[in-house]
Amino acid sequence: MKHFYFLLFFLHIMVLADCRNDTCHSHSVFIPRDITSNNLLQHNLTLFWWYRTIFKNHDTFITLQVSPFYQRSTNEDDIARFFLPCNQPSVSVKEDGTGDIGSLWLNLIADANQQFDGSFSLSPQRTLIGTFINIRINWNPILNIHLWSDIALAAMKSKHNIGLCEKSNTFGTACNVTNICQALNQENWEFNTFCPETQTKHGVDNIEFKFGYDWYFLEEDSVDHLSPYFTFAVPTGKAGTAECIFEPIVGSTVNAVGFGFIADHNFYADEIHELAILTDFKYLYGLPVHEKRSFDLCKNGDWSRYLQVVKCDEPSNSMPGINVFTQEAQITIQSRIDWWIALHYRHRSCDVEIGYNFWWQQKEKVQIYDFPKGYAIYDIVGDCMQQPTSASCAQICQSVINNAPVSDPSCVKLSLCDLNIASGTMPRSLTNSVYAAFGYDGHFYGLPTLIGAGASYEVSTDNNALSNWCVWSKFGISY
């Protein structure tokens, strides 16, 4: 058993060594961690109750646990940098070309005697309200073999608010766009808008199945065990639409397969007291799916997806680039690791548990196979001189007054190789969680029961994942 814990520690160190920060530019997509596969929410109090009470004292077949929970994110400033140009906390929008964004690209044009001048910031926040449900089946009473299966799911409501806050000294007068909020939510933008209102989504998170076998090790009056298992996740959601930044997500379209090991070891036990350590190490691999993603351009920098584009045969007829730079892609989440470990103390029927959870997700692999032909970046300067071609090196910060983009001698068409794939990719994510839980186990109409409550705090190592706090209650019954 000790060798098992040393192996887990070694794998943990290997993953940490690979955790280099790969967020050096803004991103157009953010996918939060799902709830169902969270070992912490599933196992707290319950795993000890199952192996140290039910198995030892009862020959039960099914165990049901229900855990209402409330979770809220805390790292709004970090997530804002994830989306904004150059990882800045706030962004200036100016018509004269001296800001982070040139307002002309967003159709923000002030009166002839003025120049648009404003700024905005984001404060993205996610709130989850739901119920985690876990059904564990012990096949030993029927098959006389230590096999078990496990089904986990979560019914919940996800609330996302981008927290858009703007300050403007002037107002736009053209294209029905008067302020930054309207500019980032234009009707002709089909994708990647910044919805200023709270968005909600209801549903069932991905359903996770586990099938395992218990090896038991008898030591005097205690029973240690090791349980290898196979697991797979069944998707319950829809493919990402990329219609808005920080869209609420419940479930996904990703099928995932993997394996894991559950183990526990008893340090001390007598008629009144018991102290044990428990762990679950799980690895999952996500299979490829197809969904829409929005991409910047390699040589044009952050937020170049919001540049305007033209058809080469219509160089004065500009249109939103975001509609062209959003394409269907093949997404592979690749590897995920979830390692939960807890120290559990029991006094008679009262339980106290503290624990830690490590979660790591590999950077997505994104592939695009097609891109519409004949498009080029709008020559905003050349069009003012009535001689437009294209501006292949234009950046979102430029304007016609200062810092003007250079016009190309002839139209330079965009191609698939111009897309910055990383901007539409979810980077590597890593979080660390700690928690405490309290419970009481007894009997209800002769059936083993458990009631408890707990709280956790999850911390992201960078702005690629949400930090959040969570509270929950727990009710379990076995028969």
Side-chain angles (χ1 to χ4, degrees), residues 7 75 98 135 160 182 188 191 202 275 343 346 356 364 409 421 458:
L7 174 62
N75 58 335
T98 61
I135 302 172
H160 281 207
Q182 292 178 356
N188 58 349
F191 306 101
H202 301 75
L275 181 64
L343 188 65
R346 167 175 288 177
Y356 164 80
E364 288 180 336
I421 303 302
E458 183 174 24

Side-chain angles (χ1 to χ4, degrees), residues 18 80 99 126 151 153 177 244 287 341 415 428:
D18 185 52
R126 183 191 196 214
I151 305 171
L153 58 95
V177 179
C244 63
L287 303 180
I341 186 168
S415 65
R428 182 272 307 154

Side-chain angles (χ1 to χ4, degrees), residues 355-394:
Y356 164 80
N357 187 256
F358 170 83
W359 177 76
W360 168 80
Q361 180 171 283
Q362 191 176 8
K363 179 181 179 180
E364 288 180 336
K365 181 181 179 181
V366 177
Q367 292 180 294
I368 308 174
Y369 300 104
D370 194 18
F371 184 77
K373 299 178 181 180
Y375 286 96
I377 298 176
Y378 174 47
D379 184 5
I380 196 170
V381 175
D383 199 24
C384 292
M385 300 177 180
Q386 299 183 348
Q387 293 180 332
T389 54
S390 65
S392 60
C393 294

Side-chain angles (χ1 to χ4, degrees), residues 6 17 51 56 73 82 89 118 121 127 163 238 297 310 337 372 394 396 409 442:
F6 282 125
Y51 283 109
K56 289 173 62 177
S73 62
F82 182 86
S121 61
T127 302
K238 297 180 179 180
L297 300 173
V310 295
I337 289 177
I396 196 71

Side-chain angles (χ1 to χ4, degrees), residues 148-212:
W148 56 268
S149 57
D150 190 285
I151 305 171
L153 58 95
M156 62 186 189
K157 177 173 74 173
S158 176
K159 297 170 59 178
H160 281 207
N161 193 316
I162 195 65
L164 177 62
C165 179
E166 71 167 281
K167 298 178 181 178
S168 299
N169 301 317
T170 53
F171 299 95
T173 58
C175 306
N176 295 320
V177 179
T178 61
N179 55 46
I180 296 173
C181 184
Q182 292 178 356
L184 297 176
N185 291 279
Q186 298 181 53
E187 292 184 357
N188 58 349
W189 284 17
E190 298 177 6
F191 306 101
N192 259 218
T193 59
F194 288 74
C195 181
E197 301 174 352
T198 298
Q199 299 178 287
T200 62
K201 190 169 185 178
H202 301 75
V204 176
D205 201 15
N206 295 343
I207 303 173
E208 186 177 51
F209 296 86
K210 294 178 181 177
F211 299 92

